[in-house]
Amino acid sequence: MHCAFNKFYRMKKFVLILFITHCSLFIHAQDATALINKVKAKLDKVNDYTATGVLKTDVAFIKAPVSKVVVYFKKPNHFRLQKNGGISVLPKGGISVNMGTIISTNNFTALDAGETNINNTKTKVVKLLPNDENSDVVLSTLYIDEANLLIKKAVTTTRDNGTYEVVLSYGKYADYALPDKVQFSFNAKDYKLPKGVTLDFDDSQPADKEKLKNKKGKVEIDYASYIINKGVDDKVFE
Amino acid sequence: MQQVVQVTNLSKHYKNIKAVDALSFTVNEGDVYGFLGQNGAGKSTTIRMLLTLIEPTQGDIKMFGLKLNQHRKTILQSVGAIIEKPDVYKYLSAYNNLNLFARMSGIHPTEKKLMQQLEMVGLKERAHDTVKTFSQGMKQRLGIAIALIHDPRLIILDEPTNGLDPQGIADVRNLILHLSREMKKTLVVSSHLLNEMEQVATRLLIIDKGKKLVEGTTAELFDPAQTLLELDSLNNTEALLLLQNSAWQTALQPQRSNSLLLKIHRNAIPNLHVWLVQQNIKIVSLQSRHSLEDYFLQVTSSGQHVAAFTN
Amino acid sequence: MWQLLQIELYKIFRRPRTYIAFVAVAVLITIMQFGLKVDGQEYADFMLQSLGNFDVQGKLLNGYMVCYIVLQLMLVHVPLLVTLISADLISGEANIGTLRLLMAKPYSRTSIVVSKFCAVCVYTLLLLIWVAFLALFVSVVIFGKSDLFLMKNEYIVLIRQDDVFWRYGCAFCFAFVALITVASVGFFLSAFAENSIGPIVTTMSVIILFTVLGTLNLPVFQAISPYLFTTHMVTWKEFFDEKVNANNEALAGTLQNLPHIIHSVIILLIYIVVLVSATVWVMKKKDILS
């Protein structure tokens, strides 16, 4: 009997803990979702924009010059980077994905993961778990400046494109949640050039072999100006 | 008389072969110098050494009083030549070939001068046709036009009648005489045909195996006193006996066949003929040729050593 | 000398054979351009497939890219076309019998040989200008201009379109030196033969042999590879590689490995000087028996 009671008591305690935990999680999730929705609402103020900026590529196996670019965006997820009639090489899934598109759907679970400082700004850490099992994104971690409703940093793990990190700095376009600077970093090890399909016949040696090892790749856009909500022709996205 | 070509002790050796062996000769101004020898006797090698195409192993060549190896450019400006076949650029016209070689010789002739030159060799009408449509004779004439375009003092013709038909041969012969007599040029003409040379040359040099055999003026070498007469009759033994016991005895030469051989003055042949008839010798044939021709034939046909020619 | 050069050029450019190379180059390049115009996008897409996790935007298949593709293939064939002329220069004249006429003229053998070589240089230069016109200018007209995107074995080079033209200029100058080296080989061999087939075939064989030796990754061949002219003929590609700064930003107007280019040019020039001098020496000593 005593034994049975003990068992019941333990069970009750377990259920209680479970309940509390669940409640707390639910509350946290609710907070996080609310925050995300607020951020989303702010992002939603921008229907479209045309921005000019400078693209810098810091990838050991890509030798690209710093170049002027024009970036076009239109809701919901049209994004295009043009390089004055030139060619641009960007790691997929990163810079071409607007922050808005990450949280554009409600098809995820947002979890509060505490707080941390990013560049002396207190940020809330929110983890986003896609509900869709086939989603390429496995996990996104957003660092949100709660006061200004700005995403300061995003770390995304994907199935195909490895893990990448986007750091955003804001300035005069902070009201529209548009960054002055986007820095996209990824692990260059995940982006290897396959052999054999290259156009070159020679045995060119890499400029600096050391640079190729374990070096993080980085792509950066410094935005100079935005033209917001003045309409963007759909043709630019074709 | 100026010496145009002066060759001293000239030799060309290829490993163990002596193509030209210590050859010396002199060509004077105004000479048509006949350079005779069978194929491979060393004529072409000598001529190519005169034109600096072949480097002599030893010996000296002077032309116009200058050493060839020291004044090559000056000397060759005054030399025109056809070496063996008259090869030219087949894809160019006669006119363009002539113009090109004129420039190579350091002159810039006018169109009129070029056409005159082509007219002289009978190619005016074909001046602008490409050479690949030309016959051998026409090419030869173009070669001569090329050799003469820069008005050289010395003209060297290496086997100029090779491959030509009788008319072509006659044309070349007349041209040589014209160049020598009318234009006062000095010529060195090589050939393996003595009778050709006899008709045009003022001096002759016969070489064999790179060595000089005979040299002299044509008049000296073709002395009529040196005529060889070959006599064939129905009774050669009787004829020989008669001759041995007559004044003709000294003219008798060693027999090479059944025919009897005599060396007599050309003018004495009719008298001998009459005498033989009077002696009742039944003559089948009487053939005369110059002893130089006989000698040359022996040299060029046998290839073996033949006693030196003396006149 | 100038007179002789004029004569040699006159002879070269009055010959129908000379124009075979110009026609062949035009046909080859036109075919390549046509193919790339028709199927080029698929080709570019195929190329980019290997770059799965990169997003390349812009006109990949532009005139500059087409020129690069054309040059890679042409610079294998153009040497053979140059050989056709250079290896025939002396032996061809020996064959048709004009060499003895030429050498009996009041010019030194050295000046005759050098002027022939200079004529080959002029011919090569004109052929290269023709290649440049077709491969670069015509391609730019057909395919337009954009940045030059090159996938090397180990890395990608992106050259800004305003930074490309001078590189082609230099690459063509380098190609000129490389082709003259090939011409020198043919020219040298030409001095020994009395018909042009021998030296032409031999020159081509030398190019093939050297290329194979240079490609084989065997220690014994790798030891001699730096001394083979064929190894250095492909160095023109170095003009299409740039330096980067500490942030891996490519610096426009720079060359990744200028010393390598200079080294290759020096080796090729040594080949040219040695071969042409040897040709002059051989011809000065040679008895003209043809």
Side-chain angles (χ1 to χ4, degrees):
Chain A
M1 181 68 192
H2 181 76
C3 186
F5 173 81
N6 267 353
K7 205 172 176 183
F8 169 79
Y9 179 79
R10 275 208 299 265
M11 181 82 147
K12 200 172 145 188
K13 195 178 170 185
F14 175 74
V15 170
L16 189 72
I17 290 167
L18 199 71
F19 175 77
I20 292 165
T21 317
H22 189 77
C23 281
S24 126
L25 258 181
F26 179 71
I27 291 160
H28 279 277
Q30 261 193 334
D31 284 355
T33 309
L35 179 61
I36 292 291
N37 283 337
K38 275 193 241 171
V39 171
K40 200 178 141 192
K42 184 169 183 179
L43 285 169
D44 271 347
K45 284 201 289 185
V46 178
N47 291 320
D48 58 66
Y49 66 77
T50 304
T52 54
V54 173
L55 173 73
K56 292 178 190 168
T57 315
D58 179 4
V59 183
F61 56 88
I62 296 178
K63 290 185 174 185
V66 172
S67 47
K68 286 183 177 173
V69 290
V70 182
V71 174
Y72 300 96
F73 168 77
K74 193 169 188 175
K75 270 211 253 182
N77 58 356
H78 296 299
F79 183 89
R80 171 122 187 152
L81 183 140
Q82 265 187 2
K83 213 185 105 181
N84 285 342
I87 296 169
S88 59
V89 189
L90 298 170
K92 263 186 192 164
I95 221 138
S96 57
V97 178
N98 186 275
M99 278 308 110
T101 61
I102 297 178
I103 52 176
S104 63
T105 60
N106 290 316
N107 198 14
F108 56 78
T109 307
L111 295 176
D112 190 339
E115 288 179 349
T116 187
N117 274 349
I118 301 280
N119 296 334
N120 297 326
T121 310
K122 202 177 87 176
T123 58
K124 235 184 162 70
V125 183
V126 178
K127 289 195 184 289
L128 299 182
L129 295 159
N131 295 336
D132 180 1
E133 278 183 13
N134 296 323
S135 165
D136 182 41
V137 176
V138 180
L139 172 71
S140 285
T141 309
L142 301 182
Y143 297 79
I144 298 168
D145 172 1
E146 209 174 355
N148 298 309
L149 296 176
L150 294 171
I151 302 171
K152 297 291 251 186
K153 181 173 156 183
V155 180
T156 306
T157 304
T158 62
R159 281 182 217 282
D160 297 335
N161 298 319
T163 299
Y164 54 81
E165 186 183 297
V166 186
V167 176
L168 303 106
S169 314
Y170 297 88
K172 47 185 174 171
Y173 298 97
D175 290 346
Y176 292 94
L178 293 174
D180 279 4
K181 186 178 192 174
V182 178
Q183 211 174 53
F184 175 82
S185 326
F186 57 96
N187 197 338
K189 273 203 296 188
D190 299 330
Y191 292 79
K192 276 223 174 106
L193 267 185
K195 285 221 174 199
V197 206
T198 54
L199 250 181
D200 239 320
F201 300 149
D202 62 355
D203 296 320
S204 58
Q205 292 301 305
D208 188 346
K209 271 195 166 171
E210 287 308 306
K211 275 191 178 175
L212 290 182
K213 287 179 188 165
N214 300 320
K215 168 85 186 185
K216 277 211 162 189
K218 210 160 73 182
V219 176
E220 190 180 300
I221 301 179
D222 287 328
Y223 289 101
S225 66
Y226 285 94
I227 301 167
I228 303 158
N229 293 340
K230 299 281 185 218
V232 174
D233 195 342
D234 281 336
K235 278 183 190 163
V236 299
F237 302 108
E238 282 169 6
Chain B
M1 195 178 286
Q2 198 192 343
Q3 292 176 335
V4 176
V5 182
Q6 195 180 0
V7 171
T8 315
N9 204 25
L10 188 68
S11 296
K12 179 67 189 180
H13 300 166
Y14 293 104
K15 289 178 184 165
N16 299 323
I17 301 162
K18 290 179 177 176
V20 175
D21 193 7
L23 192 63
S24 299
F25 62 90
T26 303
V27 180
N28 295 321
E29 182 130 42
D31 270 350
V32 176
Y33 198 84
F35 199 39
L36 275 160
Q38 66 180 123
N39 291 332
K43 303 188 298 290
S44 284
T45 306
T46 307
I47 282 182
R48 280 172 189 251
M49 286 194 278
L50 294 182
L51 292 166
T52 69
L53 293 173
I54 292 177
E55 178 86 1
T57 309
Q58 62 180 47
D60 254 352
I61 301 172
K62 270 189 184 174
M63 288 161 100
F64 314 113
L66 301 169
K67 281 199 164 192
L68 182 60
N69 54 5
Q70 288 169 7
H71 301 90
R72 181 180 177 273
K73 190 174 173 184
T74 315
I75 290 169
L76 289 180
Q77 273 171 342
S78 303
V79 177
I82 295 183
I83 313 140
E84 292 178 22
K85 291 182 281 131
D87 289 314
V88 291
Y89 300 101
K90 294 184 181 67
Y91 52 88
L92 295 179
S93 66
Y95 179 90
N96 286 334
N97 263 298
L98 188 58
N99 193 11
L100 189 149
F101 281 108
R103 284 160 191 272
M104 282 296 297
S105 302
I107 59 160
H108 295 78
T110 59
E111 188 183 345
K112 191 179 162 195
K113 163 82 177 158
L114 290 166
M115 289 310 283
Q116 275 175 351
Q117 193 75 9
L118 288 170
E119 190 175 9
M120 186 191 90
V121 293
L123 288 173
K124 192 185 175 191
E125 304 302 316
R126 302 289 302 271
H128 297 290
D129 293 350
T130 52
V131 173
K132 63 183 167 202
T133 62
F134 282 19
S135 70
Q136 188 62 26
M138 290 162 80
K139 283 184 204 162
Q140 188 73 5
R141 282 184 273 153
L142 176 59
I144 288 166
I146 288 170
L148 301 177
I149 185 69
H150 54 296
D151 196 25
R153 282 173 67 191
L154 171 68
I155 298 158
I156 298 175
L157 305 174
D158 188 12
E159 301 273 2
T161 55
N162 253 9
L164 295 186
D165 59 13
Q167 183 56 50
I169 292 171
D171 286 348
V172 170
R173 189 192 306 140
N174 291 334
L175 182 84
I176 291 170
L177 292 172
H178 172 78
L179 290 170
S180 168
R181 290 172 190 169
E182 314 297 327
M183 300 180 74
K184 310 293 177 201
K185 302 285 182 195
T186 306
L187 289 102
V188 173
V189 185
S190 84
S191 177
H192 60 279
L193 301 171
L194 179 68
N195 55 345
E196 274 298 320
M197 286 297 95
E198 185 192 347
Q199 294 177 60
V200 293
T202 55
R203 287 170 63 82
L204 283 173
L205 168 70
I206 299 176
I207 65 166
D208 187 48
K209 296 190 180 80
K211 279 183 182 293
K212 175 158 82 175
L213 295 181
V214 182
E215 192 197 9
T217 65
T218 312
E220 285 165 8
L221 295 174
F222 284 90
D223 180 2
Q226 301 292 321
T227 306
L228 272 185
L229 187 70
E230 197 172 342
L231 166 68
D232 204 5
S233 68
L234 292 179
N235 43 353
N236 275 355
T237 320
E238 194 182 330
L240 180 61
L241 272 172
L242 281 167
L243 284 165
Q244 281 173 338
N245 295 313
S246 70
W248 302 105
Q249 182 202 351
T250 51
L252 272 171
Q253 298 290 308
Q255 273 180 265
R256 292 180 203 158
S257 59
N258 287 333
S259 309
L260 303 176
L261 206 59
L262 297 104
K263 187 191 271 185
I264 58 172
H265 197 284
R266 191 177 155 79
N267 296 345
I269 295 172
N271 295 339
L272 175 65
H273 187 205
V274 170
W275 184 81
L276 287 166
V277 172
Q278 284 170 351
Q279 301 302 316
N280 206 20
I281 301 296
K282 305 275 186 287
I283 300 167
V284 177
S285 81
L286 265 182
Q287 282 184 320
S288 75
R289 60 175 182 270
H290 195 270
S291 57
L292 178 68
E293 195 179 347
D294 180 75
Y295 174 76
F296 186 69
L297 267 177
Q298 282 188 63
V299 169
T300 55
S301 60
S302 67
Q304 64 198 22
H305 185 72
V306 182
F309 173 81
T310 47
N311 56 340
Chain C
M1 187 70 186
W2 175 236
Q3 174 79 47
L4 278 176
L5 178 60
Q6 279 181 314
I7 289 170
E8 288 303 326
L9 286 173
Y10 178 77
K11 285 192 283 190
I12 287 180
F13 286 99
R14 286 302 294 257
R15 241 166 34 150
R17 183 194 288 194
T18 303
Y19 298 94
I20 294 174
F22 285 83
V23 174
V25 163
V27 170
L28 276 167
I29 294 179
T30 310
I31 288 173
M32 279 189 253
Q33 284 166 337
F34 175 77
L36 287 170
K37 189 76 189 166
V38 175
D39 278 335
Q41 201 48 52
E42 277 178 41
Y43 179 65
D45 291 345
F46 174 72
M47 216 171 79
L48 291 181
Q49 264 177 22
S50 60
L51 272 178
N53 35 30
F54 278 89
D55 188 16
V56 180
Q57 288 196 4
K59 206 157 143 195
L60 205 62
L61 202 76
N62 57 67
Y64 289 142
M65 175 66 138
V66 170
C67 182
Y68 194 84
I69 296 170
V70 167
L71 278 196
Q72 286 219 84
L73 300 170
M74 283 308 293
L75 293 181
V76 177
H77 302 292
V78 174
L80 305 182
L81 297 173
V82 171
T83 304
L84 279 184
I85 296 297
S86 74
D88 178 65
L89 268 184
I90 298 171
S91 60
E93 296 234 25
N95 187 28
I96 61 172
T98 45
L99 187 65
R100 57 178 187 266
L101 257 84
L102 215 60
M103 294 299 187
K105 291 294 170 190
Y107 285 99
S108 71
R109 287 195 187 184
T110 305
S111 55
I112 290 175
V113 171
V114 170
S115 64
K116 276 185 175 294
F117 180 72
C118 291
V120 160
C121 294
V122 173
Y123 163 81
T124 308
L125 184 66
L126 292 176
L127 190 62
L128 211 54
I129 289 172
W130 180 236
V131 170
F133 169 75
L134 291 171
L136 188 57
F137 287 90
V138 175
S139 294
V140 164
V141 168
I142 297 175
F143 295 89
K145 273 198 229 173
S146 189
D147 297 345
L148 181 59
F149 176 86
L150 296 174
M151 288 170 72
K152 303 251 174 194
N153 270 353
E154 301 277 350
Y155 51 95
I156 290 167
V157 177
L158 189 63
I159 301 171
R160 252 178 17 212
Q161 54 181 299
D162 59 5
D163 190 33
V164 174
F165 192 80
W166 73 272
R167 293 175 190 273
Y168 272 119
C170 293
F172 277 110
C173 290
F174 183 90
F176 177 68
V177 178
L179 288 176
I180 292 302
T181 311
V182 173
S184 309
V185 176
F187 191 60
F188 173 68
L189 293 169
S190 172
F192 296 94
E194 291 190 0
N195 69 69
S196 48
I197 302 296
I200 289 173
V201 172
T202 312
T203 309
M204 290 181 182
S205 308
V206 167
I207 296 173
I208 293 167
L209 177 73
F210 278 19
T211 308
V212 170
L213 289 183
T215 318
L216 284 178
N217 281 330
L218 297 172
V220 61
F221 296 137
Q222 285 196 326
I224 57 163
S225 172
Y227 306 102
L228 304 176
F229 67 91
T230 44
T231 310
H232 298 278
M233 283 174 68
V234 289
T235 308
W236 67 272
K237 290 178 187 170
E238 283 288 350
F239 285 105
F240 298 91
D241 200 351
E242 2 173 46
K243 274 201 163 84
V244 290
N245 62 16
N247 294 325
N248 267 321
E249 288 160 7
L251 302 170
T254 59
L255 292 171
Q256 171 60 39
N257 201 346
L258 184 61
H260 182 198
I261 296 172
I262 293 170
H263 175 76
S264 288
V265 169
I266 289 172
I267 296 266
L268 293 177
L269 288 176
I270 289 173
Y271 264 97
I272 294 169
V273 170
V274 168
L275 285 167
V276 174
S277 308
T279 312
V280 169
W281 188 77
V282 168
M283 287 309 291
K284 277 182 87 163
K285 294 277 161 199
K286 189 176 180 172
D287 287 337
I288 309 296
L289 301 171
S290 59

